[in-house]
Structure formats: C-alpha cells, structure tokens
Amino acid sequence: MNWSALESLLSGVNKYSTVFGRVWLSMVFVFRVMVFVVAAQRVWGDESKDFVCNTRQPGCTNVCYDSIFPISHIRLWALQLIFVTCPSLMVMAHVKYREGKDSKYASQHQGSHLYANPGKKRGGLWWTYLVSLIFKAVVDAAFLYILYYIYHGYDMPRLSKCALEPCPNTVDCYISRPTEKKIFTIFMVVSSAICIFMCILEMFYLLGKRLQKVLKVRQANKRLLFAECHEVTNIALPRSSYIRVDPTIGSQQNISRQKKAKEAAATSL
C-alpha cells in the first residue's frame, strides 16, 4: 500500500484542524505509519516461515500457527490505520463541498460570499468534525480490544502449546524474535492509546469553546435586554404629568392621582 500518498492527502487536513488535531496527525504518521512501514513489517515478515513446532506430522504446524495467530498483527494494524484516517478525509470533503457551494453562490450573487471562511468549524462542519473525533477514538479503542481479545493480552510468549488435530499429542511451538515483536506490539498499543487521549482532549476543547461562545451570546443578549428596559424606564414624561403629593389626603388617593396623571401622559404621547 502507498502510505506516502495517504500522508500527502491527509496533510491538507492540518489547516482545518485544531492544535490537538495537528498533534494527533503528527502522532499517527510519525509514531504509527512510519514505524509500521519501516520496522514492523520487517519484524513480522518471517512469522509464518520461522514458526516451528517439535513435530513432523503433516499439517500440524499450519494448524497450530492458525490457532496462535488468527490474524496477523501487520494486517490488523493496516486496517486500523485505514479506518482511523478515514474521518479526516470526511472533514476535508465537507470543507471542499462548502468551498464549491460558496463559489457557486458568489458567481450568482455578484461576488458576495455565502461563507466568510469555508474551513471555519461552524454549523454542520462543527458537527462533522466532532463526529470524526468520536469515530477515531472508537475505532482505536475497538482495535485495541480486538487485539487484546484475540491474543489474550499484548504479550508475545516464547513457547506455545498446541494439541489440535492432526497433531499426534500436545506439541511445543516457537515463534521467531518474540521479545522484539512484544516491544513493537506494546509500542503500537501505547501510541494508539495516546491518540485516543488526544481525540478526547480535542472533543473537550471543541465543546468548551462552543459552551463559552453560547455563554457569551447569552450574556450579550442579557445586556441588550437590560439596556432596552433601562431606556424604557428612563423615558421623560411631560411636565404636566408630574403631580405633587398632597399630605392632607390619604396615600391611596395620592396613588390614584399619580396613576391618572401617567395615563393622561401616555395618551398624550
């Protein structure tokens, strides 16, 4: 597979990503794709050829190999890298759709634009970006669980027992370079866990910025409403609408006199 073409394609996603997204993309290509291409494929290249069992029974070695390695680590990691990078392409496709829509709108409305910045994470693009983060974190976590479930952990044992047919009895099977393979397995697992953590941080970052923006809008609306109410209460009434309080009469009569004066002023306005 041409991983350099995928890297050049995804490098354009950087300008649409946040700081955490750029760190995640660097982690994927430096600590996962580069290690996968340069070292991991060579380490696991001899896993079938150098798998040895202490028996000469025809078919026993193949059956035991299939039982111990149901799926190759290399193929599993290749699928993981493909699935985990697809959401970034989805974000890029959404931005390209916005740019095409904006250019079409500008050609029909004499240069006026539909979007001030098509790559800014607002509206549907914000939700697309958030869904892509959730998808990436879920995919990485799912593949970590699959690897743990299939191989019963992340260890690479030096000796494996096999008693499947057509083996005559329980035989001992040995894999080549188990320590080196264990180190690469742990490295890939840790790098995947860090990428999951970066996705979670970016999700909290996006949600925090969205909440902060909503609170700012609410505060601005409250200030505007308070200013409008203050202007309404400070409207100057005509001089004839003011009436002095007469101390010789009761308070209820004074209140009724003031209400009548205000109603007269309102009708005159």
Side-chain angles (χ1 to χ4, degrees):
M1 182 176 180
N2 192 357
W3 292 103
S4 60
L6 181 63
E7 181 179 2
S8 61
L9 183 62
L10 290 178
S11 59
V13 184
N14 261 335
K15 57 183 178 180
Y16 309 124
S17 303
T18 63
V19 177
F20 297 102
R22 296 187 183 99
V23 174
W24 177 89
L25 198 60
S26 301
M27 284 284 302
V28 168
F29 282 107
V30 174
F31 293 101
R32 297 176 70 176
V33 174
M34 291 296 293
V35 171
F36 175 81
V37 173
V38 174
Q41 285 183 329
R42 296 180 181 179
V43 172
W44 266 269
D46 58 351
E47 57 180 344
S48 177
K49 182 179 64 176
D50 294 341
F51 184 81
V52 179
C53 295
N54 59 350
T55 181
R56 292 184 179 273
Q57 179 70 26
C60 179
T61 302
N62 293 334
V63 170
C64 291
Y65 176 79
D66 183 69
S67 175
I68 297 172
F69 294 99
I71 183 172
S72 173
H73 286 69
I74 292 298
R75 293 175 180 85
L76 190 65
W77 288 333
L79 286 174
Q80 182 180 1
L81 290 174
I82 291 171
F83 278 107
V84 87
T85 51
C86 283
S88 299
L89 297 178
M90 182 175 63
V91 173
M92 195 171 180
H94 196 157
V95 174
K96 294 300 181 183
Y97 168 77
R98 272 189 164 190
E99 290 176 351
K101 190 176 179 180
D102 183 68
S103 61
K104 184 178 179 180
Y105 182 87
S107 63
Q108 294 177 353
H109 294 81
Q110 298 179 353
S112 60
H113 291 276
L114 185 62
Y115 301 102
N117 183 8
K120 194 172 183 63
K121 290 178 284 297
R122 288 182 178 177
L125 185 60
W126 186 88
W127 286 104
T128 302
Y129 198 88
L130 182 64
V131 169
S132 70
L133 292 176
I134 296 172
F135 185 82
K136 288 187 287 189
V138 170
V139 166
D140 269 334
F143 273 93
L144 287 181
Y145 175 76
I146 290 171
L147 185 65
Y148 182 87
Y149 179 79
I150 291 176
Y151 294 103
H152 307 288
Y154 304 118
D155 194 10
M156 194 65 60
R158 291 181 171 86
L159 173 65
S160 299
K161 301 286 186 177
C162 179
L164 299 175
E165 294 181 356
C167 298
N169 49 30
T170 301
V171 297
D172 298 331
C173 297
Y174 306 90
I175 62 175
S176 63
R177 295 182 288 183
T179 303
E180 189 176 9
K181 291 178 179 179
K182 178 181 178 180
I183 291 172
F184 273 101
T185 301
I186 294 175
F187 180 84
M188 295 297 284
V189 168
V190 171
S191 61
S192 299
I194 294 174
C195 287
I196 294 173
F197 180 69
M198 294 303 300
C199 288
I200 294 174
L201 283 181
E202 192 171 7
M203 281 188 273
F204 278 111
Y205 174 76
L206 286 178
L207 292 173
K209 286 194 69 175
R210 186 67 176 265
L211 182 61
Q212 185 180 9
K213 189 179 296 183
V214 170
L215 291 177
K216 283 184 179 179
V217 171
R218 287 185 178 180
Q219 288 179 357
N221 291 335
K222 286 182 179 180
R223 289 174 183 173
L224 182 61
L225 182 61
F226 178 77
E228 291 177 354
C229 293
H230 188 66
E231 289 178 0
V232 170
T233 54
N234 286 340
I235 294 176
L237 296 175
R239 190 174 183 83
S240 59
S241 63
Y242 290 96
I243 183 169
R244 295 183 62 183
V245 177
D246 191 355
T248 60
I249 61 177
S251 59
Q252 293 295 333
Q253 293 177 349
N254 280 321
I255 292 173
S256 63
R257 289 177 65 193
Q258 289 177 359
K259 286 183 179 180
K260 290 179 181 178
K262 288 183 179 179
E263 290 176 358
T267 53
S268 63
L269 291 175

